[in-house]
Amino acid sequence: MSPRRLILLLSALEVLAILPIASFPALLPDFIAVWGLTNTEAGWIAGVYYLGYMLLVTPAVMLTDRIDARLIFISGCAVTGISTLAFAAFADDFWSGLLLRAIGGAGQAAVYMPGLRALTDRLKGGEQSRAVTFYTASYSIAISLSFTITGLLAEWHGWRWSFAGIGLGSLIAAILAWMLLKPQTPPGAKASSGFALRPVLRNRDAMGYIIGYAAHGFELTAMRAWVTAFFVFVLARDAAFAASLPSPTVLAAIVTLIGLPASLLGNELALKIGRRRALILIMGISGIMGVLMGFTALLPAWVSLLYCAVYFIFICGDSGALTAGMMAAAEPEHRGSTMALHSALGFGISVLGPLFVGLALDQAERLFDGQGVASWGIGLAVMGIGALIGPLALYWAGRRTV
């Protein structure tokens, strides 16, 4: 299979496998109402997906040093699909939703990075950098489709059939990966010595990208979890304008789709002015915009929506460059360990994004006696503050490295 076809195939399978990821955030206002959830509880269910991911990602990625990543990817797709179907059939309250979303996140741990490893193990030289950027950028397509398909199916047939439909997508990805990807033994499988944390921690260059990725994940998952609810609040303040627009879920899908070209353009900027410099610039602007996002509800609704779209460009502009930087900085003999820590810390911190915003919203609503612009401003400012850790980490790492 040619490199181009291989990149397109793995990216397409990634999209199918990741479809369940935004299913709960897409319908978060509905679940809050139907299940009687607090903002904090909703944040837990939205964030626990990444907790499940964090707990399994290290062994899943480390296994790619020993066995074909294709097999791990297929297993992850199957677990994700089955857990999403189980959510459709059995979830009916906070605890059942929390458990099944955690299992789904654990399945995703065997999808995203193992899929990237399955791709890069089958490519050589300069093809790998391009493949990493395109594969990570395709993640935004998956998120956008997750919002869109979840919202449309829920509108037509109810949320249970919606979850069932996207769960089938993950199972189809498992079948196609088994049929279309040729088996391959990973390079250096016999020499692998397992997870080695200390050498990765000593690699200051790689750690800058890893910490930056964690800050990016905190911001990104918070935005994805709460953007639909924020749009509901903004549009409720301008009913006439809202009547001319698609549903908040579809609007959220449109905004998240911007992440695909943004990630590609961010990587091109990194090639022109230097990866670290580009990332500090992009992440700094993104963090500041995040701090201010909730307060845009004071402005006309169209201005707030446009602001969110521009903000998402900066949120996603660093994703591909951060992962490509980590891959480039990783010592060859510890690449699996570096990828494992990159994913474990990145997605582990991602758990906190939706949760911390939910906690801040609950506290602000108590302080201001109900939901309003001030509570959304304070709640969403949390995600911007977390994002600003990223450029600080990259600056720290760059003080002694080129």
Side-chain angles (χ1 to χ4, degrees):
M1 185 180 296
S2 70
R4 181 174 297 180
R5 288 184 177 180
L6 184 62
I7 293 170
L8 290 175
L9 172 62
L10 261 299
S11 298
L13 293 178
E14 172 201 12
V15 169
L16 269 178
I18 294 175
L19 279 180
I21 192 169
S23 51
F24 184 83
L27 303 176
L28 188 142
D30 297 330
F31 282 113
I32 288 176
V34 173
W35 288 357
L37 303 175
T38 65
N39 291 321
T40 302
E41 289 173 334
W44 264 115
I45 299 177
V48 76
Y49 203 79
Y50 303 98
L51 178 60
Y53 186 106
M54 179 192 70
L55 294 176
L56 196 67
V57 69
T58 297
V61 174
M62 291 311 304
L63 276 174
T64 65
D65 280 342
R66 297 177 176 273
I67 64 175
D68 189 354
R70 161 183 172 269
L71 299 175
I72 302 166
F73 179 83
I74 291 169
S75 301
C77 293
V79 171
T80 301
I82 292 170
S83 65
T84 306
L85 290 172
F87 193 103
F90 305 115
D92 57 8
D93 60 12
F94 170 75
W95 290 108
S96 57
L98 190 76
L99 174 62
L100 291 169
R101 287 292 287 177
I103 296 172
Q108 288 288 286
V111 170
Y112 184 55
M113 279 294 173
L116 179 60
R117 183 67 186 266
L119 177 59
T120 55
D121 280 353
R122 289 164 172 78
L123 297 173
K124 297 180 180 179
E127 296 168 347
Q128 288 188 348
S129 178
R130 186 176 295 108
V132 169
T133 301
F134 193 84
Y135 181 89
T136 55
S138 298
Y139 199 82
S140 297
I141 296 178
I143 301 299
S144 180
L145 287 176
S146 182
F147 273 107
T148 303
I149 295 173
T150 299
L152 291 177
L153 288 178
E155 184 177 341
W156 297 335
H157 304 294
W159 72 264
R160 292 191 185 275
W161 281 108
S162 176
F163 273 71
I166 57 177
L168 286 175
S170 298
L171 293 179
I172 291 171
I175 295 169
L176 292 177
W178 178 267
M179 294 172 58
L180 300 178
L181 279 178
K182 293 182 179 179
Q184 178 169 316
T185 303
K190 294 181 179 180
S192 173
S193 59
F195 183 61
L197 178 61
R198 190 171 297 176
V200 180
L201 294 177
R202 286 200 301 259
N203 186 341
R204 185 165 177 159
D205 193 18
M207 284 305 302
Y209 294 109
I210 291 171
I211 297 172
Y213 187 69
H216 160 79
F218 179 95
E219 178 185 35
L220 182 61
T221 56
M223 174 68 167
R224 285 176 183 157
W226 290 101
V227 64
T228 304
F230 180 65
F231 283 174
V232 169
F233 172 76
V234 168
L235 294 175
R237 295 165 60 84
D238 191 345
F241 177 65
S244 65
L245 297 175
S247 69
T249 300
V250 174
L251 288 175
I254 294 171
V255 168
T256 55
L257 188 58
I258 294 172
L260 173 60
S263 183
L264 297 174
L265 291 173
N267 190 65
E268 290 301 313
L269 179 64
L271 292 174
K272 289 189 176 184
I273 69 172
R275 184 178 285 125
R276 198 182 310 280
R277 183 182 301 174
L279 286 170
I280 290 173
L281 175 64
I282 293 169
M283 298 186 79
I285 294 173
S286 179
I288 293 169
M289 291 190 73
V291 170
L292 299 175
M293 177 177 156
F295 295 103
T296 65
L298 287 168
L299 304 173
W302 69 269
V303 175
S304 185
L305 296 180
L306 179 61
Y307 183 97
C308 289
V310 174
Y311 173 41
F312 207 78
I313 292 175
F314 285 95
I315 290 180
C316 294
D318 55 14
S319 178
L322 283 166
T323 301
M326 175 274 299
M327 295 286 283
E331 298 169 347
E333 65 271 26
H334 300 301
R335 178 167 292 172
S337 298
T338 307
M339 291 175 68
L341 184 61
H342 183 77
S343 286
L345 187 61
F347 283 82
I349 296 298
S350 294
V351 178
L352 303 178
L355 175 61
F356 279 22
V357 170
L359 285 167
L361 279 170
D362 278 339
Q363 294 301 318
E365 287 179 11
R366 294 188 187 99
L367 180 63
F368 295 103
D369 195 24
Q371 189 179 96
V373 174
S375 58
W376 276 107
I378 292 172
L380 295 183
V382 170
M383 80 182 165
I385 293 170
L388 290 173
I389 295 173
L392 293 175
L394 288 164
Y395 174 77
W396 162 79
R399 291 183 66 186
R400 293 184 183 174
T401 56
V402 178

